[in-house]
Amino acid sequence: MTRYLKVLGLALVAALAMSVTAASSASATNFKFHSEGTSTVLTGSQHAQNDVFTTDGGTVSCSNATYSGTQSGATVESVEVTPTYSGCTAFGFINVPIHVNGCKYKFGTSTTNYQGAVHVVCGSKPIEITAPGCTVTVGTQTPDGNATYTNVGSGTTREVTVDVNLSGIDYTEHDTFEGGCEGPTGTLKTNGTYKGAALVTGETSKKAHLGIWVG
């Protein structure tokens, strides 16, 4: 009987260990971006607040930010969108242009509940903020912080809000005339912050709504 109980006890311990391992593996699985379609046009519009980028030289605040991209596949772990900014004030100047130069934001997933990293992905040229006297450039990087995703709506009207809160952003200030920037020109700084919020909608190529969600 004692031997039987020992064997039974070992079996129970093994079963418990397997269940804990299975639960740990399940909890370590990234959430995904989902769509009702296999090719989804993604459109993001500013939601609730201005997009704000802060540097040593001051604050860049944009009253209009839009995003466009395509999700290829019904379920993916990341999506890329191209931002467009207008209505921007920077360092006390109004109508400051932001040239994205083909750079994209890549939104990722993680094991954390509906939060993921944001990657800035650029080609040969960085993002350029061209205020009078000073141009600020932001290149390829993965800043600290994350994007938080929230499902809204139901059925084909399902959308996702994306709230971005980033810090430790690398940027470089370039004088366009002497003394135009805060501090020495050409100096790489690593203390930029960015906050923004967008409502992202999915559509077919013919502008019919497709439900999108995270989960």
Side-chain angles (χ1 to χ4, degrees), residues 19-51:
S19 66
V20 170
T21 301
S24 176
S25 298
S27 65
T29 301
N30 285 13
F31 67 88
K32 305 291 195 301
F33 297 111
H34 302 280
S35 172
E36 293 180 316
T38 55
S39 180
T40 306
V41 178
L42 300 174
T43 303
S45 58
Q46 197 173 56
H47 177 66
Q49 62 189 42
N50 281 13
D51 284 44

PDB file of all heavy atoms in Angstrom, residues 19-51:
ATOM      1  N   SER A  19       0.784  20.483 -15.874  1.00  0.00           N
ATOM      2  CA  SER A  19      -0.277  21.478 -15.984  1.00  0.00           C
ATOM      3  C   SER A  19       0.265  22.874 -15.765  1.00  0.00           C
ATOM      4  O   SER A  19      -0.136  23.833 -16.430  1.00  0.00           O
ATOM      5  CB  SER A  19      -1.402  21.184 -14.983  1.00  0.00           C
ATOM      6  OG  SER A  19      -0.953  21.332 -13.652  1.00  0.00           O
ATOM      7  N   VAL A  20       1.205  23.025 -14.834  1.00  0.00           N
ATOM      8  CA  VAL A  20       1.822  24.330 -14.587  1.00  0.00           C
ATOM      9  C   VAL A  20       2.621  24.772 -15.805  1.00  0.00           C
ATOM     10  O   VAL A  20       2.572  25.934 -16.222  1.00  0.00           O
ATOM     11  CB  VAL A  20       2.726  24.268 -13.337  1.00  0.00           C
ATOM     12  CG1 VAL A  20       3.565  25.537 -13.213  1.00  0.00           C
ATOM     13  CG2 VAL A  20       1.886  24.076 -12.087  1.00  0.00           C
ATOM     14  N   THR A  21       3.369  23.827 -16.408  1.00  0.00           N
ATOM     15  CA  THR A  21       4.144  24.139 -17.606  1.00  0.00           C
ATOM     16  C   THR A  21       3.237  24.555 -18.748  1.00  0.00           C
ATOM     17  O   THR A  21       3.514  25.519 -19.475  1.00  0.00           O
ATOM     18  CB  THR A  21       4.973  22.919 -18.043  1.00  0.00           C
ATOM     19  OG1 THR A  21       5.849  22.561 -16.972  1.00  0.00           O
ATOM     20  CG2 THR A  21       5.786  23.232 -19.291  1.00  0.00           C
ATOM     21  N   ALA A  22       2.116  23.831 -18.914  1.00  0.00           N
ATOM     22  CA  ALA A  22       1.167  24.170 -19.984  1.00  0.00           C
ATOM     23  C   ALA A  22       0.570  25.549 -19.751  1.00  0.00           C
ATOM     24  O   ALA A  22       0.432  26.351 -20.677  1.00  0.00           O
ATOM     25  CB  ALA A  22       0.060  23.122 -20.048  1.00  0.00           C
ATOM     26  N   ALA A  23       0.222  25.848 -18.500  1.00  0.00           N
ATOM     27  CA  ALA A  23      -0.352  27.156 -18.187  1.00  0.00           C
ATOM     28  C   ALA A  23       0.660  28.259 -18.430  1.00  0.00           C
ATOM     29  O   ALA A  23       0.343  29.334 -18.949  1.00  0.00           O
ATOM     30  CB  ALA A  23      -0.826  27.183 -16.735  1.00  0.00           C
ATOM     31  N   SER A  24       1.932  27.998 -18.066  1.00  0.00           N
ATOM     32  CA  SER A  24       2.989  28.982 -18.280  1.00  0.00           C
ATOM     33  C   SER A  24       3.194  29.245 -19.762  1.00  0.00           C
ATOM     34  O   SER A  24       3.355  30.380 -20.192  1.00  0.00           O
ATOM     35  CB  SER A  24       4.291  28.477 -17.653  1.00  0.00           C
ATOM     36  OG  SER A  24       5.350  29.361 -17.911  1.00  0.00           O
ATOM     37  N   SER A  25       3.165  28.166 -20.576  1.00  0.00           N
ATOM     38  CA  SER A  25       3.317  28.325 -22.024  1.00  0.00           C
ATOM     39  C   SER A  25       2.172  29.121 -22.609  1.00  0.00           C
ATOM     40  O   SER A  25       2.355  29.962 -23.487  1.00  0.00           O
ATOM     41  CB  SER A  25       3.405  26.950 -22.693  1.00  0.00           C
ATOM     42  OG  SER A  25       4.526  26.245 -22.226  1.00  0.00           O
ATOM     43  N   ALA A  26       0.954  28.863 -22.124  1.00  0.00           N
ATOM     44  CA  ALA A  26      -0.207  29.579 -22.637  1.00  0.00           C
ATOM     45  C   ALA A  26      -0.119  31.056 -22.300  1.00  0.00           C
ATOM     46  O   ALA A  26      -0.422  31.917 -23.115  1.00  0.00           O
ATOM     47  CB  ALA A  26      -1.486  28.967 -22.050  1.00  0.00           C
ATOM     48  N   SER A  27       0.309  31.363 -21.056  1.00  0.00           N
ATOM     49  CA  SER A  27       0.380  32.762 -20.646  1.00  0.00           C
ATOM     50  C   SER A  27       1.496  33.498 -21.371  1.00  0.00           C
ATOM     51  O   SER A  27       1.510  34.715 -21.426  1.00  0.00           O
ATOM     52  CB  SER A  27       0.591  32.853 -19.131  1.00  0.00           C
ATOM     53  OG  SER A  27       1.855  32.309 -18.776  1.00  0.00           O
ATOM     54  N   ALA A  28       2.465  32.742 -21.919  1.00  0.00           N
ATOM     55  CA  ALA A  28       3.584  33.370 -22.609  1.00  0.00           C
ATOM     56  C   ALA A  28       3.301  33.611 -24.085  1.00  0.00           C
ATOM     57  O   ALA A  28       4.174  34.042 -24.825  1.00  0.00           O
ATOM     58  CB  ALA A  28       4.826  32.506 -22.449  1.00  0.00           C
ATOM     59  N   THR A  29       2.100  33.319 -24.533  1.00  0.00           N
ATOM     60  CA  THR A  29       1.740  33.488 -25.939  1.00  0.00           C
ATOM     61  C   THR A  29       1.329  34.931 -26.212  1.00  0.00           C
ATOM     62  O   THR A  29       0.507  35.496 -25.502  1.00  0.00           O
ATOM     63  CB  THR A  29       0.583  32.550 -26.319  1.00  0.00           C
ATOM     64  OG1 THR A  29       0.981  31.204 -26.081  1.00  0.00           O
ATOM     65  CG2 THR A  29       0.206  32.721 -27.781  1.00  0.00           C
ATOM     66  N   ASN A  30       1.915  35.525 -27.245  1.00  0.00           N
ATOM     67  CA  ASN A  30       1.541  36.884 -27.611  1.00  0.00           C
ATOM     68  C   ASN A  30       0.092  36.951 -28.069  1.00  0.00           C
ATOM     69  O   ASN A  30      -0.408  36.042 -28.732  1.00  0.00           O
ATOM     70  CB  ASN A  30       2.423  37.389 -28.758  1.00  0.00           C
ATOM     71  CG  ASN A  30       3.822  37.742 -28.308  1.00  0.00           C
ATOM     72  OD1 ASN A  30       4.234  37.407 -27.202  1.00  0.00           O
ATOM     73  ND2 ASN A  30       4.560  38.425 -29.160  1.00  0.00           N
ATOM     74  N   PHE A  31      -0.573  38.051 -27.745  1.00  0.00           N
ATOM     75  CA  PHE A  31      -1.865  38.294 -28.378  1.00  0.00           C
ATOM     76  C   PHE A  31      -1.617  38.650 -29.837  1.00  0.00           C
ATOM     77  O   PHE A  31      -0.481  38.878 -30.251  1.00  0.00           O
ATOM     78  CB  PHE A  31      -2.624  39.404 -27.642  1.00  0.00           C
ATOM     79  CG  PHE A  31      -2.003  40.780 -27.740  1.00  0.00           C
ATOM     80  CD1 PHE A  31      -2.313  41.625 -28.796  1.00  0.00           C
ATOM     81  CD2 PHE A  31      -1.138  41.244 -26.765  1.00  0.00           C
ATOM     82  CE1 PHE A  31      -1.747  42.891 -28.892  1.00  0.00           C
ATOM     83  CE2 PHE A  31      -0.580  42.504 -26.840  1.00  0.00           C
ATOM     84  CZ  PHE A  31      -0.876  43.331 -27.910  1.00  0.00           C
ATOM     85  N   LYS A  32      -2.661  38.704 -30.627  1.00  0.00           N
ATOM     86  CA  LYS A  32      -2.520  38.936 -32.071  1.00  0.00           C
ATOM     87  C   LYS A  32      -3.436  40.079 -32.534  1.00  0.00           C
ATOM     88  O   LYS A  32      -4.386  40.461 -31.849  1.00  0.00           O
ATOM     89  CB  LYS A  32      -2.900  37.665 -32.852  1.00  0.00           C
ATOM     90  CG  LYS A  32      -2.147  36.403 -32.463  1.00  0.00           C
ATOM     91  CD  LYS A  32      -0.707  36.441 -32.851  1.00  0.00           C
ATOM     92  CE  LYS A  32      -0.052  35.059 -32.795  1.00  0.00           C
ATOM     93  NZ  LYS A  32      -0.119  34.436 -31.462  1.00  0.00           N
ATOM     94  N   PHE A  33      -3.117  40.598 -33.733  1.00  0.00           N
ATOM     95  CA  PHE A  33      -4.022  41.507 -34.441  1.00  0.00           C
ATOM     96  C   PHE A  33      -4.890  40.661 -35.377  1.00  0.00           C
ATOM     97  O   PHE A  33      -4.361  39.871 -36.164  1.00  0.00           O
ATOM     98  CB  PHE A  33      -3.246  42.533 -35.267  1.00  0.00           C
ATOM     99  CG  PHE A  33      -2.375  43.450 -34.451  1.00  0.00           C
ATOM    100  CD1 PHE A  33      -0.990  43.362 -34.530  1.00  0.00           C
ATOM    101  CD2 PHE A  33      -2.935  44.399 -33.610  1.00  0.00           C
ATOM    102  CE1 PHE A  33      -0.181  44.212 -33.791  1.00  0.00           C
ATOM    103  CE2 PHE A  33      -2.130  45.250 -32.861  1.00  0.00           C
ATOM    104  CZ  PHE A  33      -0.751  45.160 -32.947  1.00  0.00           C
ATOM    105  N   HIS A  34      -6.197  40.842 -35.301  1.00  0.00           N
ATOM    106  CA  HIS A  34      -7.121  40.042 -36.106  1.00  0.00           C
ATOM    107  C   HIS A  34      -7.954  40.931 -37.026  1.00  0.00           C
ATOM    108  O   HIS A  34      -8.235  42.091 -36.708  1.00  0.00           O
ATOM    109  CB  HIS A  34      -8.074  39.251 -35.200  1.00  0.00           C
ATOM    110  CG  HIS A  34      -7.386  38.343 -34.241  1.00  0.00           C
ATOM    111  ND1 HIS A  34      -6.899  37.102 -34.597  1.00  0.00           N
ATOM    112  CD2 HIS A  34      -7.103  38.492 -32.919  1.00  0.00           C
ATOM    113  CE1 HIS A  34      -6.346  36.527 -33.547  1.00  0.00           C
ATOM    114  NE2 HIS A  34      -6.454  37.350 -32.511  1.00  0.00           N
ATOM    115  N   SER A  35      -8.366  40.352 -38.153  1.00  0.00           N
ATOM    116  CA  SER A  35      -9.268  41.026 -39.085  1.00  0.00           C
ATOM    117  C   SER A  35     -10.220  40.013 -39.695  1.00  0.00           C
ATOM    118  O   SER A  35      -9.893  38.823 -39.810  1.00  0.00           O
ATOM    119  CB  SER A  35      -8.465  41.714 -40.193  1.00  0.00           C
ATOM    120  OG  SER A  35      -9.337  42.214 -41.199  1.00  0.00           O
ATOM    121  N   GLU A  36     -11.379  40.493 -40.111  1.00  0.00           N
ATOM    122  CA  GLU A  36     -12.331  39.638 -40.814  1.00  0.00           C
ATOM    123  C   GLU A  36     -11.858  39.316 -42.230  1.00  0.00           C
ATOM    124  O   GLU A  36     -12.369  38.383 -42.851  1.00  0.00           O
ATOM    125  CB  GLU A  36     -13.693  40.327 -40.885  1.00  0.00           C
ATOM    126  CG  GLU A  36     -14.368  40.480 -39.536  1.00  0.00           C
ATOM    127  CD  GLU A  36     -15.707  41.168 -39.646  1.00  0.00           C
ATOM    128  OE1 GLU A  36     -15.798  42.174 -40.375  1.00  0.00           O
ATOM    129  OE2 GLU A  36     -16.661  40.706 -38.996  1.00  0.00           O
ATOM    130  N   GLY A  37     -10.905  40.080 -42.740  1.00  0.00           N
ATOM    131  CA  GLY A  37     -10.407  39.842 -44.090  1.00  0.00           C
ATOM    132  C   GLY A  37      -8.968  39.388 -44.090  1.00  0.00           C
ATOM    133  O   GLY A  37      -8.260  39.473 -43.084  1.00  0.00           O
ATOM    134  N   THR A  38      -8.500  38.895 -45.241  1.00  0.00           N
ATOM    135  CA  THR A  38      -7.119  38.451 -45.365  1.00  0.00           C
ATOM    136  C   THR A  38      -6.206  39.562 -45.881  1.00  0.00           C
ATOM    137  O   THR A  38      -4.984  39.446 -45.822  1.00  0.00           O
ATOM    138  CB  THR A  38      -7.026  37.249 -46.312  1.00  0.00           C
ATOM    139  OG1 THR A  38      -7.616  37.591 -47.576  1.00  0.00           O
ATOM    140  CG2 THR A  38      -7.746  36.046 -45.726  1.00  0.00           C
ATOM    141  N   SER A  39      -6.797  40.647 -46.391  1.00  0.00           N
ATOM    142  CA  SER A  39      -6.036  41.832 -46.776  1.00  0.00           C
ATOM    143  C   SER A  39      -6.856  43.040 -46.342  1.00  0.00           C
ATOM    144  O   SER A  39      -7.930  43.299 -46.896  1.00  0.00           O
ATOM    145  CB  SER A  39      -5.783  41.855 -48.283  1.00  0.00           C
ATOM    146  OG  SER A  39      -5.039  43.017 -48.644  1.00  0.00           O
ATOM    147  N   THR A  40      -6.356  43.750 -45.364  1.00  0.00           N
ATOM    148  CA  THR A  40      -7.141  44.810 -44.730  1.00  0.00           C
ATOM    149  C   THR A  40      -6.415  46.136 -44.828  1.00  0.00           C
ATOM    150  O   THR A  40      -5.249  46.260 -44.429  1.00  0.00           O
ATOM    151  CB  THR A  40      -7.392  44.479 -43.247  1.00  0.00           C
ATOM    152  OG1 THR A  40      -7.974  43.180 -43.159  1.00  0.00           O
ATOM    153  CG2 THR A  40      -8.305  45.503 -42.608  1.00  0.00           C
ATOM    154  N   VAL A  41      -7.095  47.132 -45.360  1.00  0.00           N
ATOM    155  CA  VAL A  41      -6.566  48.500 -45.388  1.00  0.00           C
ATOM    156  C   VAL A  41      -6.814  49.121 -44.019  1.00  0.00           C
ATOM    157  O   VAL A  41      -7.953  49.197 -43.556  1.00  0.00           O
ATOM    158  CB  VAL A  41      -7.236  49.333 -46.489  1.00  0.00           C
ATOM    159  CG1 VAL A  41      -6.707  50.764 -46.464  1.00  0.00           C
ATOM    160  CG2 VAL A  41      -7.012  48.699 -47.856  1.00  0.00           C
ATOM    161  N   LEU A  42      -5.747  49.556 -43.364  1.00  0.00           N
ATOM    162  CA  LEU A  42      -5.844  50.154 -42.032  1.00  0.00           C
ATOM    163  C   LEU A  42      -5.740  51.667 -42.132  1.00  0.00           C
ATOM    164  O   LEU A  42      -4.826  52.200 -42.775  1.00  0.00           O
ATOM    165  CB  LEU A  42      -4.731  49.630 -41.127  1.00  0.00           C
ATOM    166  CG  LEU A  42      -4.705  48.119 -40.898  1.00  0.00           C
ATOM    167  CD1 LEU A  42      -3.458  47.740 -40.101  1.00  0.00           C
ATOM    168  CD2 LEU A  42      -5.962  47.655 -40.172  1.00  0.00           C
ATOM    169  N   THR A  43      -6.679  52.349 -41.491  1.00  0.00           N
ATOM    170  CA  THR A  43      -6.675  53.809 -41.463  1.00  0.00           C
ATOM    171  C   THR A  43      -6.822  54.276 -40.028  1.00  0.00           C
ATOM    172  O   THR A  43      -7.765  53.881 -39.332  1.00  0.00           O
ATOM    173  CB  THR A  43      -7.826  54.390 -42.307  1.00  0.00           C
ATOM    174  OG1 THR A  43      -7.712  53.902 -43.655  1.00  0.00           O
ATOM    175  CG2 THR A  43      -7.771  55.911 -42.325  1.00  0.00           C
ATOM    176  N   GLY A  44      -5.887  55.097 -39.590  1.00  0.00           N
ATOM    177  CA  GLY A  44      -5.939  55.619 -38.232  1.00  0.00           C
ATOM    178  C   GLY A  44      -6.156  57.115 -38.228  1.00  0.00           C
ATOM    179  O   GLY A  44      -5.601  57.830 -39.061  1.00  0.00           O
ATOM    180  N   SER A  45      -6.984  57.585 -37.325  1.00  0.00           N
ATOM    181  CA  SER A  45      -7.216  59.024 -37.171  1.00  0.00           C
ATOM    182  C   SER A  45      -6.993  59.412 -35.723  1.00  0.00           C
ATOM    183  O   SER A  45      -7.206  58.610 -34.803  1.00  0.00           O
ATOM    184  CB  SER A  45      -8.638  59.397 -37.610  1.00  0.00           C
ATOM    185  OG  SER A  45      -9.602  58.663 -36.862  1.00  0.00           O
ATOM    186  N   GLN A  46      -6.555  60.633 -35.526  1.00  0.00           N
ATOM    187  CA  GLN A  46      -6.255  61.107 -34.177  1.00  0.00           C
ATOM    188  C   GLN A  46      -7.467  60.978 -33.281  1.00  0.00           C
ATOM    189  O   GLN A  46      -8.595  61.230 -33.692  1.00  0.00           O
ATOM    190  CB  GLN A  46      -5.797  62.562 -34.253  1.00  0.00           C
ATOM    191  CG  GLN A  46      -5.072  63.061 -33.025  1.00  0.00           C
ATOM    192  CD  GLN A  46      -4.508  64.437 -33.270  1.00  0.00           C
ATOM    193  OE1 GLN A  46      -5.231  65.358 -33.622  1.00  0.00           O
ATOM    194  NE2 GLN A  46      -3.202  64.593 -33.108  1.00  0.00           N
ATOM    195  N   HIS A  47      -7.203  60.595 -32.037  1.00  0.00           N
ATOM    196  CA  HIS A  47      -8.295  60.283 -31.126  1.00  0.00           C
ATOM    197  C   HIS A  47      -8.046  60.938 -29.775  1.00  0.00           C
ATOM    198  O   HIS A  47      -7.060  60.620 -29.104  1.00  0.00           O
ATOM    199  CB  HIS A  47      -8.404  58.758 -30.965  1.00  0.00           C
ATOM    200  CG  HIS A  47      -9.437  58.298 -29.998  1.00  0.00           C
ATOM    201  ND1 HIS A  47     -10.782  58.485 -30.201  1.00  0.00           N
ATOM    202  CD2 HIS A  47      -9.325  57.648 -28.813  1.00  0.00           C
ATOM    203  CE1 HIS A  47     -11.451  57.959 -29.185  1.00  0.00           C
ATOM    204  NE2 HIS A  47     -10.584  57.459 -28.326  1.00  0.00           N
ATOM    205  N   ALA A  48      -8.892  61.873 -29.406  1.00  0.00           N
ATOM    206  CA  ALA A  48      -8.965  62.424 -28.040  1.00  0.00           C
ATOM    207  C   ALA A  48      -7.932  63.488 -27.704  1.00  0.00           C
ATOM    208  O   ALA A  48      -8.175  64.301 -26.821  1.00  0.00           O
ATOM    209  CB  ALA A  48      -8.899  61.308 -26.999  1.00  0.00           C
ATOM    210  N   GLN A  49      -6.787  63.543 -28.374  1.00  0.00           N
ATOM    211  CA  GLN A  49      -5.761  64.498 -27.961  1.00  0.00           C
ATOM    212  C   GLN A  49      -4.778  64.751 -29.086  1.00  0.00           C
ATOM    213  O   GLN A  49      -4.702  63.983 -30.047  1.00  0.00           O
ATOM    214  CB  GLN A  49      -4.998  63.957 -26.753  1.00  0.00           C
ATOM    215  CG  GLN A  49      -4.256  62.649 -27.051  1.00  0.00           C
ATOM    216  CD  GLN A  49      -3.672  62.003 -25.809  1.00  0.00           C
ATOM    217  OE1 GLN A  49      -4.310  61.963 -24.770  1.00  0.00           O
ATOM    218  NE2 GLN A  49      -2.450  61.507 -25.906  1.00  0.00           N
ATOM    219  N   ASN A  50      -4.008  65.849 -28.965  1.00  0.00           N
ATOM    220  CA  ASN A  50      -2.933  66.116 -29.905  1.00  0.00           C
ATOM    221  C   ASN A  50      -1.815  65.088 -29.727  1.00  0.00           C
ATOM    222  O   ASN A  50      -1.613  64.559 -28.644  1.00  0.00           O
ATOM    223  CB  ASN A  50      -2.348  67.503 -29.671  1.00  0.00           C
ATOM    224  CG  ASN A  50      -3.205  68.603 -30.278  1.00  0.00           C
ATOM    225  OD1 ASN A  50      -4.350  68.373 -30.663  1.00  0.00           O
ATOM    226  ND2 ASN A  50      -2.651  69.802 -30.352  1.00  0.00           N
ATOM    227  N   ASP A  51      -1.096  64.831 -30.824  1.00  0.00           N
ATOM    228  CA  ASP A  51       0.134  64.052 -30.718  1.00  0.00           C
ATOM    229  C   ASP A  51       1.243  65.009 -30.294  1.00  0.00           C
ATOM    230  O   ASP A  51       1.421  66.069 -30.908  1.00  0.00           O
ATOM    231  CB  ASP A  51       0.470  63.400 -32.060  1.00  0.00           C
ATOM    232  CG  ASP A  51      -0.403  62.192 -32.338  1.00  0.00           C
ATOM    233  OD1 ASP A  51      -1.619  62.259 -32.103  1.00  0.00           O
ATOM    234  OD2 ASP A  51       0.135  61.180 -32.795  1.00  0.00           O
TER     235      ASP A  51
END
